[in-house]
Amino acid sequence: MRPDRAKVKPPAELIPQHIHATVAATARQAGETTPMKGMMQHRPLRIIDILLHAAEAFADQGILSAHDTGEIHSQSYPQTLARAARAAHTLRALGVAEGDRVATLAWNGHRHLELYYAISGMGAVCHTLNPRLPADQLGYIIRHAEDSVLCVDASLLPVAEALRDALPAGLRVIVLADAGAVPDSPLDALCYEELLQGQPATFDWPHLPEDTASGLCYTSGTTGHPKGALYSQRSTVLHALTVPLAQTSSFVAGRRMMPVVPMFHVNAWGLPYTAPLTGMTLVMPGPHLDGASLWRLMEDTHVYSSWGVPTVWAGLLSEITAQGRAPSGFRDLIVGGSAAPPSMIEAYEGYGVTVSQAWGMTEMSPIGTHGMIPPPLQDAPLDRQMPIKTSAGRRKFGLEFKIVDDHGTAMPHDGTATGELYVRGNTVISGYFRNDQASAAAMDAAGWFGTGDVASITAEGQLVIRDRAKDLVKSGGEWISSIDLENAAISHPSIQACAVIAVPHPKWDERPVLVVVPQGDARPTLAEIHAHIAPHFAKSPLPDDLLFVDELPLTATGKISKLSLRAQFADYVLPDLREGTA
Ligand code: ADP
């Protein structure tokens, strides 16, 4: 009897193409049939084709870039393509070859965008550096990646100078500044605009295999060293094609899109690719990301859609409240990176801004889900839409999700079963850059990537992130979601910001404690907060204590850093364990 093929071979999509060809040839020899090949052209996917397309099809769109001086620089896509060509010639003249890593240390701006396309377009790897990372991590990342050139904004030059002793020998530094405007520096820095002058405005962009590496981004190393996600031309283009399919509300040709998510981390969620692809103009906010600066820029440039993390949107919301209105034309807000509190969603909707969540990870290029309201509910009142708006949304095309129990067994998508979320697809890493140990720990035997998020998935495909596995509070054998508690507490009028951390307890294992930034001089009591939170839960996971702080520590990507908070309160003792109370 012929063996069941599924049991002896992994599915074809898991087999690398060259091995697949060998398997197919062997199968032919054995007299087995192989699928008939289509007769279509095969053009490798290339990132530069996005800009080539935008320059032709959307020549009247481009980039509006906020400079430090307050000036707004305007540049069309054809001009951007010409400058990307000049930048590619410049890098080639400096000796950059295909596969070399070229680092950028820059805010969201037109020069950074030119470099995105120039570096990947010439077949090199655009390695974005996050200036908010501690110096030891930045030094480690630059050496691990073996960057050959570093392109740095003038305002971030001090960050690079502080790394001077850690920089690899031979690294060339280019300052992204006007001719004659490079500050004095011990780094022997070159000037970007001077280098571009006189270079040709066209470049013979190579047709490389589509799995050629194109971008590199390291996760912020909360435990151990940062780990590199190495994107390819193919994964980046597929991500750019599939995000607008998922989040259709955001992408309208001729309108303006402002990525507040930084280009120095996870490619600004792919917006530098999706916006030109869909004919939108990019508004680049530069370094000033406080609520008042963002409000003014959005008002002046008529931003329609903007994407970013909740801490940024909390700042903008304060300014909107002060102004009494949202910036003109602002209609579409995407919140991701951490859970958006329901009270924030309701406040923005009250100002006429439609809010959707997105969930994703550095390792996923990064978008995994989109939270657009499906058609039957689009005209429903907000309270009926809120369960969807407060979930992470539905998976983007091209991704598969599974949630597994502690033994790795897949669990049903019934909205109740909860376990670690694993993902698979063309825009997910297959391992970490030059890090076999971390790769082996992250991937399961069937090639799925473990996200470290604990989630459930409803029968309708809505992903509900319960918590990061490491942020859950384990109390009396039950898991308490810190996200649920924070979402319930943040709507209390005396709380400006809050975060839940787990504190050890001899009887319960752990108990939740709420760290609070109060609103002005307010000092809510624990009893008041309990009364406020309790109606949100069937079985109430109430915090044991309130700890007041002036501000919450943030990670390098603008999220609340639970790691720093846990360290800050490492010596804290719960009220019922203090001497004389036990
Ligand atoms: P970092 O920027 O900290 O290096 P990532 O950007 O890759 O890391 O963060 C990914 C994590 O952020 C996810 O695993 C998840 O825990 C969290 N996250 C992202 N989006 C959401 C969301 N909409 N709701 C809840 N958590 C989110």
Side-chain angles (χ1 to χ4, degrees), residues 256-268:
R256 275 131 191 220
M257 156 70 71
M258 182 171 75
V260 180
V261 286
M263 292 176 76
F264 59 66
H265 189 64
V266 217
N267 307 319

Side-chain angles (χ1 to χ4, degrees), residues 75-163:
Q75 180 174 297
S76 69
Y77 284 133
Q79 288 169 326
T80 305
L81 178 63
R83 285 175 56 84
R86 293 196 166 102
H89 283 291
T90 298
L91 292 171
R92 185 185 273 172
L94 287 175
V96 173
E98 286 167 8
D100 284 354
R101 271 77 61 203
V102 176
T104 62
L105 187 64
W107 304 106
N108 291 10
H110 69 281
R111 292 180 177 124
H112 204 175
L113 188 93
E114 292 154 19
L115 286 167
Y116 261 44
Y117 285 96
I119 298 166
S120 62
M122 68 189 290
V125 178
C126 180
H127 174 202
T128 52
L129 294 169
N130 183 342
R132 297 192 187 120
L133 285 177
D136 60 331
Q137 287 193 15
L138 271 177
Y140 165 83
I141 289 172
I142 294 173
R143 285 192 307 277
H144 187 261
E146 293 184 277
D147 295 322
S148 56
V149 174
L150 170 63
C151 303
V152 54
D153 268 350
S155 64
L156 292 171
L157 194 54
V159 177
E161 287 167 356
L163 300 170

Side-chain angles (χ1 to χ4, degrees), residues 350-381:
Y351 284 107
V353 181
T354 303
V355 182
S356 313
Q357 281 204 56
W359 166 90
M361 301 185 76
T362 307
E363 291 87 340
M364 297 175 70
S365 304
I367 305 288
T369 62
H370 64 101
M372 259 183 61
I373 300 292
L377 280 175
Q378 262 164 13
D379 297 322

Side-chain angles (χ1 to χ4, degrees), residues 219-220 265-266 335-339 357-363 451 453 465 468 483 557 559:
T219 60
S220 26
H265 189 64
V266 217
V335 192
S338 45
Q357 281 204 56
W359 166 90
M361 301 185 76
T362 307
E363 291 87 340
T451 64
D453 281 351
I465 301 288
R468 290 296 290 160
I483 294 180
T557 52
K559 308 178 193 184

Side-chain angles (χ1 to χ4, degrees), residues 187-209:
L187 286 179
D188 196 16
L190 303 163
C191 172
Y192 182 72
E193 293 297 339
E194 286 170 16
L195 290 170
L196 257 56
Q197 280 167 16
Q199 295 289 358
T202 57
F203 191 87
D204 190 11
W205 306 107
H207 286 269
L208 301 164

